[in-house]
Amino acid sequence: MSDTIILALIAVIGIVVLIWFYNQIVSGRNAIQRAWSDVIVQERQKLKVIPELERIVEEHKAYESGVLEKLTEMRAAVTQLASDTVDTDALKTAESKTKSALSGLKVAMEAYPDLKTASLMNNLMREIADQQDNIAAAIRIFNQNVELFNNSIETFPGSAVNKRINKEKRQRSFDDNEAASGLSFRPGAE
Amino acid sequence: MSHNQKLNALLKSVRGAKANSNTQDDAARIVTQLRALGGPIRYEDSGKLGLGLFLLGIGAYGHILGSERGYPIGPDGTSGSSVLIYNVAIALAACFILFWFFRRRKAQKFVQEVYENAALASYGLNDEPIPKLKDWDRNFHEFNRGNHSREIMYCRSAAGRGESGREAYSLFRFHWVVCEERQVTETDHNGHSTSKTETTYYHYDRYGVLVEGNFSGIQISSDAPNSKYKLQYRPASVAFNRLYKLRCVEEMQTAKFLKPSIVIALEAAVTQLKNPNLEFGLNGQICLTWESDPFNVRTVMRSKDRAEELAKIIEDGAKMPILDVALELVALIQRHTQSNFSALNNDNTWESNQGVK
């Protein structure tokens, strides 16, 4: 009788552990999806700034520098990002287009002194810098979540649960170090 | 002049000057005095300590031998005189050891005072009248702790520094006491049991800064009493959700505030500030608190008796690493919660049209 109870207890504990690991893997997968959506939300914040940048570049006749084309490319790359599918390659493209547009803007600001002194332009540049900070942070959060998820499906007993029930695949993190390390807050840094 | 005399003169001079003022000039004078000491900030009392330990050994050894084999008989024909000699040895030992101990503490306290005063001068912190806890309670949950007593030990304010982008802030120390009572039953050798109530008081401290903010009704805590805000909010970061609990009045406002940069900064702050809590009070102020004392000289000095190290620390502006991390975090929060377009008086319709921040 007592053996039956012990066996039943072990079975119940086993089932609870199984459910717990199953749920961990599911919530880990969802956390990645949410973190990715956050990255896209931050990327799309740029779309609010781009029209104003284009207007100001045109006003100051800085379009000769090719910066308008770069801004258009940046807008196209950001628009192509989808929040429901994790596509790190598309993100990499959007980030490189942003860098290219930003360097174009900096060159234009040097070449056109009126542009450099326009307070709206300076504020827009500051806004973009803040947005880039937030994108870098969102990417870092995404990568943290990916790491935790990968650990949960690759370490025992999560690996066994995943192999039999969840059948999730290892996720790829975003490996653009330059973008992910662009944070201004580092504790203890001088 | 011996080292101890020099140290005594230094203590007297620094403490005398402290009563008058607390400026950068004082700091420079102390640096010179510390360097002139030419030795550690420690009394040379090792001889007295050695003598104390020797006498303690004799007294203890005599008593142990006496209790096992009987005390030696003195000239009066009893063992009373030898017991007295051992007791006198122990009493003298206690005097020497206590003397060494108190002088050691005095020197350490001096180092702490010197650093604290230099830090106060360096950060431009001035004592403020201690605010009433009731006022703070109205806006923050942070101070809802303890069941015996609660007190703000000090409140020091610093003006904003335009050149470094640092805004005005108040630094405070909050102390509270938790009282626990428990019934203890004791049984004597006759088998009679009596029960009595034992009361234990646990003392706790938290340190924090108060600054102006742009949000209200958000509490992010790694160590806090229960929040009164009903709504829970969890950002996308799994790591953040493991470290903090977040409660708020409005989810939409919290989502706006909790930008990825702020999430990452709060995650990183845990490694530098012990058990940090961040709260936007109902009055819009930011209250950031943590457990470790920012004025503790141990945060910058490995050993408390190195005069040259202390002089260098004061010379370099008596930095408080814990406070710096807290202020840096607050500055980042303020930067990310303030509009980049608020300064544009002529074009402030742009911000509302575009919806940026």
Side-chain angles (χ1 to χ4, degrees):
Chain A
M1 183 62 185
S2 61
D3 286 352
T4 321
I5 292 170
I6 292 168
L7 280 174
L9 266 176
I10 291 170
V12 168
I13 292 168
I15 290 167
V16 169
V17 169
L18 194 86
I19 292 170
W20 191 82
F21 275 98
Y22 174 83
N23 287 346
Q24 280 295 104
I25 293 168
V26 172
S27 55
R29 184 77 187 78
N30 291 341
I32 292 177
Q33 189 57 50
R34 193 177 162 198
W36 176 256
S37 303
D38 270 10
V39 174
I40 304 307
V41 166
Q42 295 302 324
E43 282 284 348
R44 286 185 182 154
Q45 293 291 317
K46 289 175 193 166
L47 297 177
K48 294 176 177 173
V49 182
I50 293 170
E52 205 59 30
L53 279 173
E54 286 172 339
R55 187 183 64 77
I56 202 166
V57 165
E58 277 177 2
E59 261 178 25
H60 289 80
K61 303 196 188 317
Y63 41 77
E64 298 124 10
S65 59
V67 75
L68 270 182
E69 288 79 28
K70 285 178 180 168
L71 284 172
T72 312
E73 281 172 13
M74 176 171 119
R75 187 210 304 265
V78 171
T79 316
Q80 276 172 10
L81 288 169
S83 60
D84 51 351
T85 338
V86 177
D87 185 353
T88 50
D89 291 331
L91 179 61
K92 206 174 269 184
T93 310
E95 279 299 290
S96 81
K97 295 287 179 200
T98 305
K99 272 173 217 157
S100 160
L102 284 180
S103 58
L105 276 169
K106 278 174 194 160
V107 171
M109 281 174 83
E110 291 302 322
Y112 299 87
D114 288 357
L115 199 61
K116 199 176 181 180
T117 50
S119 56
L120 178 59
M121 185 67 190
N122 285 315
N123 287 305
L124 284 167
M125 291 303 280
R126 209 171 298 139
E127 179 69 22
I128 290 177
D130 282 357
Q131 285 179 358
Q132 285 302 104
D133 261 7
N134 279 314
I135 290 165
I139 289 170
R140 199 181 277 193
I141 291 168
F142 169 75
N143 282 348
Q144 280 176 358
N145 289 2
V146 166
E147 187 190 346
L148 289 169
F149 173 78
N150 287 343
N151 286 343
S152 75
I153 62 165
E154 287 174 355
T155 54
F156 186 81
S159 55
V161 175
N162 185 53
K163 199 175 173 185
R164 304 249 180 281
I165 309 170
N166 299 74
K167 295 187 170 62
E168 290 285 355
K169 283 183 184 145
R170 184 184 160 81
Q171 295 292 310
R172 256 179 72 196
S173 55
F174 184 75
D175 61 356
D176 187 341
N177 291 332
E178 204 179 321
S181 63
L183 285 170
S184 51
F185 180 76
R186 288 180 196 86
E190 287 294 314
Chain B
M1 199 188 249
S2 73
H3 177 74
N4 287 358
Q5 282 171 327
K6 274 189 195 171
L7 189 54
N8 268 331
L10 175 65
L11 258 72
K12 207 176 272 180
S13 135
V14 170
R15 283 187 174 151
K18 197 186 85 181
N20 300 325
S21 64
N22 190 21
T23 61
Q24 295 288 2
D25 292 341
D26 289 335
R29 190 175 45 77
I30 290 167
V31 167
T32 318
Q33 285 175 317
L34 282 170
R35 288 202 167 125
L37 183 67
I41 311 169
R42 186 182 59 215
Y43 285 100
E44 283 173 354
D45 288 336
S46 44
K48 292 180 187 78
L49 177 67
L51 185 61
L53 291 173
F54 176 70
L55 288 171
L56 183 70
I58 288 176
Y61 186 66
H63 276 303
I64 290 165
L65 273 186
S67 61
E68 279 179 5
R69 298 177 194 172
Y71 287 97
I73 306 297
D76 58 344
T78 66
S79 60
S81 54
S82 47
V83 171
L84 183 70
I85 289 169
Y86 296 145
N87 285 345
V88 167
I90 289 173
L92 280 173
C95 290
F96 281 121
I97 292 169
L98 282 173
F99 180 78
W100 168 82
F101 177 74
F102 283 115
R103 289 238 291 194
R104 187 168 166 265
R105 277 194 62 181
K106 187 179 165 186
Q108 287 181 344
K109 209 174 155 194
F110 165 75
V111 172
Q112 177 62 43
E113 273 175 29
V114 166
Y115 169 69
E116 196 167 326
N117 287 321
L120 285 172
S122 164
Y123 284 75
L125 284 161
N126 296 307
D127 277 320
E128 289 283 309
I130 290 172
K132 285 179 185 164
L133 257 177
K134 270 185 188 172
D135 298 337
W136 286 12
D137 265 340
R138 217 173 291 141
N139 298 309
F140 300 103
H141 295 153
E142 177 62 38
F143 306 100
N144 182 21
R145 296 166 185 264
N147 59 1
H148 183 69
S149 67
R150 302 181 305 150
E151 199 182 348
I152 302 289
M153 304 301 286
Y154 61 72
C155 183
R156 292 162 180 163
S157 66
R161 289 180 183 180
E163 76 277 8
S164 63
R166 189 169 279 180
E167 289 190 24
Y169 63 93
S170 299
L171 174 69
F172 64 86
R173 177 181 162 201
F174 172 55
H175 178 82
W176 75 97
V177 180
V178 175
C179 167
E180 270 182 21
E181 286 184 348
R182 55 181 184 154
Q183 293 289 325
V184 183
T185 308
E186 284 174 354
T187 309
D188 63 15
H189 59 277
N190 295 322
H192 298 298
S193 53
T194 48
S195 73
K196 60 176 182 178
T197 308
E198 255 184 24
T199 310
T200 317
Y201 297 95
Y202 297 97
H203 293 255
Y204 300 96
D205 284 294
R206 278 185 82 79
Y207 303 83
V209 286
L210 266 183
V211 284
E212 293 305 318
N214 302 309
F215 288 87
S216 68
I218 302 171
Q219 188 186 17
I220 301 168
S221 53
S222 63
D223 163 64
N226 287 335
S227 174
K228 287 170 197 156
Y229 302 140
K230 285 182 184 163
L231 292 174
Q232 269 194 340
Y233 181 86
R234 289 164 72 86
S237 169
V238 177
F240 179 91
N241 293 327
R242 283 180 186 171
L243 294 168
Y244 295 100
K245 281 180 187 160
L246 197 157
R247 286 186 163 268
C248 58
V249 175
E250 251 186 76
E251 274 178 323
M252 185 62 88
Q253 205 188 174
T254 311
K256 270 186 186 173
F257 157 69
L258 213 56
K259 291 179 180 166
S261 298
I262 294 174
V263 169
I264 289 287
L266 284 166
E267 281 176 19
V270 171
T271 58
Q272 297 281 311
L273 301 173
K274 199 176 172 194
N275 294 331
N277 292 338
L278 178 82
E279 189 173 352
F280 279 92
L282 294 171
N283 58 353
Q285 280 188 314
I286 302 174
C287 175
L288 173 68
T289 65
W290 62 89
E291 260 182 44
S292 19
D293 184 359
F295 286 105
N296 190 348
V297 70
R298 286 270 183 209
T299 56
V300 286
M301 274 179 94
R302 275 166 289 169
S303 168
K304 268 189 175 181
D305 60 8
R306 291 181 192 162
E308 181 52 42
E309 193 180 348
L310 182 62
K312 182 87 177 65
I313 286 165
I314 295 170
E315 207 170 42
D316 294 345
K319 295 261 181 286
M320 290 194 278
I322 293 173
L323 182 62
D324 285 342
V325 169
L327 293 176
E328 207 179 321
L329 176 61
V330 165
L332 180 130
I333 289 168
Q334 284 177 324
R335 184 163 69 81
H336 280 281
T337 53
Q338 277 165 1
S339 169
N340 285 319
F341 304 96
S342 55
L344 288 176
N345 296 325
N346 303 333
D347 198 12
N348 48 14
T349 49
W350 186 88
E351 187 186 333
S352 53
N353 290 340
Q354 298 297 320
V356 177
K357 282 188 181 170

